[in-house]
């Protein structure tokens, strides 16, 4: 036997029993993962792929019996969006919801977190639960209550104004007031989530920084501006991205309170997608709008990371 043959013979070979054990573990892992994979493919991956294909066709109610009878129209649906005044109005409404809703949601959430962290000492748990309760409540039930609160004829708000001799306005019939009320509802319902995350961030700031600032003569506002806000930048980035994505997809609040009215001024893109897809059965056009909204969400998220990540 040559020296090379002796060297090859000396290399230990994988034992058949070990290979069978590895194969058994792999099959067991796939068996446990199979239910999730099947559900993911059936109810998420395939619908996403199908909607992507539909966005390039004129698929509508007449094609339900024979889906393959739909015509391929390329980017026709996407080009149509640019000339659709209803879509442009929905995009403007969504922008208003996102800009005002995100800013107010973060501001109110931060104010509540600072108050609970350093200001409120008694009944702190009660305030914390009270602020967070709307987050875990049914949004449909909350929207119905708000709709009755601001009802023109028998709402509680106009009733209170009437006791002072003031004639209340048509809150949900005026486009400007209706948009403001929906933004207020979105902020009231969601700021508890921002408060909890901001509170966790505040409790992670070392007290040594505040003690050193007080020794140097800093007041509360200077501590907040020079210590609290810079130390909360990672938390602010997270909340800005999450809140923006959530408000870009807002649907339940305007759907329950105003049905998109008056004059479609409170109809966001997600509601317009729903109406085109399930009321008018323009599935191809609705799919194009849905993917346009997806691209906008991805672009806005990327921009936010680019602007805020460098300082975090």
């Amino acid at each position: 036997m040559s020296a090379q043959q002796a060297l090859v013979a000396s290399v230990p070979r994988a034992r058949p029993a070990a290979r069978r054990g590895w194969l058994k573990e792999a099959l067991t892992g796939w068996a446990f993962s199979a239910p999730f994979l099947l559900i993911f493919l059936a109810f998420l991956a395939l619908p996403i792929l199908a909607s992507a294909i539909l966005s390039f066709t004129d698929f509508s109610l007449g094609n339900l019996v024979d889906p393959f009878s739909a015509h391929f129209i390329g980017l026709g649906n996407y080009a149509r969006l640019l000339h659709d005044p209803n879509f442009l109005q929905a995009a403007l409404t969504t922008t208003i919801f996102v800009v005002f809703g995100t800013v107010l949601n973060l501001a109110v959430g931060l104010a509540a977190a600072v108050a609970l962290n350093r200001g409120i000492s008694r009944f702190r748990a009660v305030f914390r639960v009270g602020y967070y309760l709307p987050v875990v409540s049914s949004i449909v039930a909350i929207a119905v209550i708000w709709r009755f609160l601001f009802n023109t004829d028998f709402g509680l708000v106009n009733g209170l104004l009437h006791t002072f001799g003031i004639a209340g306005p048509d809150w949900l019939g005026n486009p400007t007031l209706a948009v403001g009320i929906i933004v207020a509802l979105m902020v009231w319902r969601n700021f508890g989530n921002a408060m909890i995350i901001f509170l966790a961030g505040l409790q992670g700031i070392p007290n040594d920084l505040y003690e050193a600032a007080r020794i140097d003569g800093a007041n509360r506002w200077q501590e907040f501006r020079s210590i609290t806000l810079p130390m909360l930048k990672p938390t602010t980035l997270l909340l800005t991205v999450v809140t923006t994505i959530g408000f870009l997809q807002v649907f339940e609040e305007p759907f329950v309170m105003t049905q998109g009215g008056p004059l479609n001024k409170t109809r966001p893109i997600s509601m317009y997608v729903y109406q085109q897809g399930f009321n008018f059965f323009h599935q191809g056009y609705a799919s194009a709008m849905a993917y346009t909204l997806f691209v906008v969400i991805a672009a806005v998220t990327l921009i936010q990371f680019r602007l805020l990540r460098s300082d975090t």
Side-chain angles (χ1 to χ4, degrees):
M1 178 183 296
S2 65
Q4 184 178 3
Q5 290 174 333
L7 180 61
V8 172
S10 64
V11 175
R13 296 181 178 178
R15 297 179 179 178
R19 281 185 293 183
R20 285 198 296 271
W22 174 85
L23 182 60
K24 183 179 179 181
E25 289 182 359
L27 291 176
T28 303
W30 279 107
F32 277 105
S33 304
F36 164 75
L37 291 176
L38 291 175
I39 294 174
F40 175 80
L41 290 173
F43 297 104
L44 194 62
L46 289 179
I48 289 175
L49 178 62
S51 63
I53 297 173
L54 288 182
S55 69
F56 298 103
T57 69
D58 61 351
F59 195 97
S60 62
L61 182 62
N63 305 111
L64 288 178
V65 177
D66 183 13
F68 294 102
S69 62
H71 298 97
F72 178 78
I73 59 174
L75 297 176
N77 286 327
Y78 294 92
R80 178 183 168 189
L81 292 176
L82 301 176
H83 306 285
D84 184 352
N86 291 322
F87 176 77
L88 297 179
Q89 176 59 50
L92 176 61
T93 302
T94 304
T95 303
I96 294 173
F97 286 160
V98 170
V99 172
F100 288 96
T102 302
V103 172
L104 291 174
N105 189 65
L106 295 186
V108 177
L110 178 59
V114 171
L116 288 174
N117 190 51
R118 305 185 64 180
I120 300 175
S121 57
R122 301 183 63 181
F123 305 110
R124 182 176 297 174
V126 175
F127 281 103
R128 193 178 300 177
V129 172
Y131 289 152
Y132 194 74
L133 198 57
V135 178
V136 294
S137 301
S138 168
I139 180 57
V140 175
I142 292 175
V144 170
I145 292 173
W146 275 60
R147 188 178 64 188
F148 282 107
L149 284 176
F150 288 96
N151 186 278
T152 305
D153 299 323
F154 50 84
L156 179 62
V157 176
N158 277 0
L160 291 174
L161 292 176
H162 182 71
T163 58
F164 295 101
I166 302 174
D170 185 2
W171 297 98
L172 299 180
N174 182 295
T176 304
L177 293 177
V179 170
I181 291 172
I182 291 175
V183 170
L185 170 59
M186 292 162 54
V187 173
W188 179 80
R189 197 236 174 184
N190 292 287
F191 86 88
N193 190 46
M195 177 201 69
I196 291 295
I197 298 177
F198 270 131
L199 193 58
L202 288 171
Q203 293 175 352
I205 300 176
N207 284 327
D208 298 346
L209 298 177
Y210 292 108
E211 292 174 0
R214 292 191 201 103
I215 292 174
D216 291 337
N219 55 33
R220 285 293 184 93
W221 168 247
Q222 290 170 328
E223 291 179 13
F224 178 77
R225 188 186 60 185
S226 303
I227 298 176
T228 304
L229 285 182
M231 296 295 289
L232 285 178
K233 279 188 176 179
T235 308
T236 306
L237 170 62
L238 169 67
L239 285 172
T240 302
V241 172
V242 173
T243 306
T244 302
I245 292 174
F247 285 176
L248 277 169
Q249 304 174 79
V250 62
F251 178 84
E252 295 93 343
E253 293 89 341
F255 183 78
V256 175
M257 292 189 68
T258 62
Q259 290 285 314
L263 304 175
N264 295 328
K265 297 294 184 181
T266 62
R267 182 174 62 183
I269 293 178
S270 56
M271 185 186 295
Y272 193 41
V273 171
Y274 171 81
Q275 291 175 341
Q276 287 293 325
F278 297 100
N279 290 347
F280 306 115
F281 294 99
H282 298 156
Q283 282 86 358
Y285 190 49
S287 298
M289 281 191 286
Y291 271 89
T292 302
L293 180 61
F294 168 76
V295 171
V296 170
I297 291 174
V300 170
T301 303
L302 181 62
I303 291 172
Q304 289 174 336
F305 270 99
R306 289 282 184 182
L307 292 177
L308 299 175
R309 187 179 59 181
S310 60
D311 294 331
T312 59

